[in-house]
Amino acid sequence: MLRRIGILTGGGDAPGLNAVIRAFVKAGVRHRNLAIVGVEDSFNGLLDTPRRLRTLDLPSCRGLLHLGGTVLGTTNRGDPFAWPSPEGSRDRSRALAVAVADEGIEGLVVIGGDGTQAIAHGLMTRVGIPVIGVPKTIDNDLAATDVTFGFQSAVDCATDALDRLHATAEAHDRIMILEVMGRDAGHIALHAGVAGGADVILVPEIAWNAESVAAKINARRAVGRPFSLVVVAEGSLPDDGDARPARERLRAGHGAGAIAAAALHRVLDADIRVTVLGHLQRGGSPVAVDRILATRFGVHAANLAAERRWGRLVALQNGAVVDVPLGDAVGGVRLLSPQTDPLVAVARQTGIAFGDEPTAFSAEG
Ligand code: F6P
């Protein structure tokens, strides 16, 4: 007898979501006797009237592997524990449990970041919905897994942007600042900066000051390199004594790139331009590495559902796809470790500055 399992995508999208859905359906339908129900727009598809659900069979998964976005839709407004309504937020978690039972769905596979996994964990522990989590974020900052799909696609997008900026920076002797995503963690900035030959990488985990960045730029000028590429993560701010909370400063200053440019203008006579890469990093086709990782995650989730191993989160650890307690995904953000991250050391040894160095730079190219 077929068992009905729901699948949904929650929070911000990431390249590879469709590849997970496709792999889950293929493995579940072909090999594990599962009938898959897609829930539209995160948990909303089960809470809206009428419900928005669709059968995901093998034909409906054709052509999904390379598509960005998510065919199921997603949202970051629809927390069943804090459902938005004109009278204030309401707890609709029990209504969700009723809808799941009413649809004959045995359990849910939830593909999402830390916020969505925290909701999934709550649904399991507080209202008894069986759940399996699949981690997702382009930021690659979930502690439970070494890598998330979507990260490499975002890094490649940012690297391509740096390659393009390199040519125009050199043509005009300009300082080009590229703002990339990374609200809390600087993984995208670090990886793209190394891959794209940035001169300076500014991340939230390393306090930086404009004088140090200017010293690096001036050291390059001194050896006949009058242009520079600076990558800044969207959550990175200068250490300039401004005590306002980061979010307030970023809102008032129109983003990390603009704030970095203003700080550099104060200490440097230079032509500076800012490019904000924004959601270009999230859309688009997943690169091969992400398609493969997403496919591995989808198959593992199908195996967990088939074996009724609820309350698990799929993860990649030391190259192997494993599963860990879903609670591990809750609140566990993995930041860059400036002292121990080998790529930070490699970057420094290849002459990339992080804005925390002394202002007396040796001459370099
Ligand atoms: O969490 C991933 C992320 O890419 C962050 O780096 C970024 O701050 C956020 O999504 C933006 O999401 P949205 O515009 O969908 O709110």
Side-chain angles (χ1 to χ4, degrees):
M1 158 129 159
L2 286 179
R3 294 164 50 214
R4 272 163 74 80
I5 309 291
I7 186 167
L8 60 86
T9 49
D13 65 340
L17 287 172
N18 287 322
V20 178
I21 295 168
R22 169 184 175 273
F24 181 73
V25 173
K26 277 183 179 271
V29 170
R30 277 177 186 275
H31 300 288
R32 307 303 307 237
N33 232 15
L34 303 179
I36 316 296
V37 182
V39 182
E40 295 181 2
D41 293 336
S42 191
F43 300 99
N44 298 18
L46 277 161
L47 286 169
D48 289 349
T49 310
R51 291 179 190 138
R52 291 180 294 116
L53 308 173
R54 65 171 97 143
T55 299
L56 294 178
D57 52 13
L58 293 175
S60 66
C61 288
R62 287 186 191 135
L64 286 193
L65 183 59
H66 65 287
L67 293 186
T70 160
V71 286
L72 292 175
T74 188
T75 177
N76 37 29
R77 281 169 299 167
D79 179 352
F81 292 104
W83 188 262
S85 79
E87 302 81 42
S89 74
R90 288 191 293 141
D91 183 350
R92 296 194 65 201
S93 56
R94 286 191 190 284
L96 185 69
V98 168
V100 167
D102 190 41
E103 292 292 338
I105 293 174
E106 187 182 321
L108 291 176
V109 170
V110 175
I111 315 172
D114 53 347
T116 306
Q117 298 306 346
I119 294 170
H121 187 248
L123 290 172
M124 196 184 65
T125 52
R126 290 159 64 182
V127 293
I129 301 176
V131 171
I132 289 163
V134 178
K136 162 269 16 161
T137 166
I138 64 163
D139 294 348
N140 201 28
D141 61 355
L142 291 184
T145 181
D146 293 350
V147 190
T148 46
F149 61 85
F151 172 63
Q152 199 56 54
S153 303
V155 168
D156 282 12
C157 174
T159 303
D160 178 56
L162 279 173
D163 289 348
R164 290 163 188 266
L165 290 172
H166 196 143
T168 175
E170 191 160 12
H172 285 268
D173 298 347
R174 280 177 171 154
I175 311 305
M176 289 293 187
I177 298 178
L178 177 67
E179 180 186 312
V180 299
M181 278 188 172
R183 199 174 24 202
D184 304 308
H187 301 291
I188 295 176
L190 174 64
H191 284 247
V194 171
D199 304 296
V200 180
I201 300 173
L202 304 173
V203 294
E205 298 90 337
I206 299 179
W208 62 272
N209 65 79
E211 290 76 14
S212 174
V213 176
K216 167 70 186 176
I217 291 168
N218 284 330
R220 282 174 51 77
R221 287 172 165 170
V223 293
R225 305 291 277 163
F227 71 97
S228 286
L229 292 177
V230 179
V231 185
V232 57
E234 67 176 328
S236 172
L237 288 167
D239 189 10
D240 55 6
D242 189 331
R244 283 177 297 166
R247 273 173 205 266
E248 197 182 307
R249 282 191 74 183
L250 287 164
R251 255 198 309 272
H254 307 293
I259 292 171
L264 285 179
H265 270 305
R266 282 194 278 275
V267 293
L268 198 66
D269 182 18
D271 205 6
I272 303 175
R273 295 288 187 277
V274 179
T275 302
V276 180
L277 202 49
H279 294 77
L280 289 173
Q281 292 155 100
R282 287 228 310 243
S285 188
V287 298
V289 166
D290 285 334
R291 295 181 198 188
I292 294 167
L293 182 60
T295 300
R296 293 173 77 192
F297 277 11
V299 168
H300 196 80
N303 291 337
L304 289 175
E307 289 154 25
R308 294 195 170 86
R309 296 186 58 216
W310 308 110
R312 307 296 294 173
L313 178 85
V314 179
L316 188 80
Q317 289 182 356
N318 301 317
V321 175
V322 297
D323 48 88
V324 298
L326 184 57
D328 288 9
V330 179
V333 174
R334 187 172 53 82
L335 299 179
L336 266 184
S337 172
Q339 310 309 331
T340 57
D341 191 305
L343 197 55
V344 172
V346 163
R348 288 195 195 273
Q349 283 184 275
T350 53
I352 297 175
F354 288 84
D356 61 341
E357 297 83 359
T359 51
F361 264 95
S362 56
E364 54 190 290

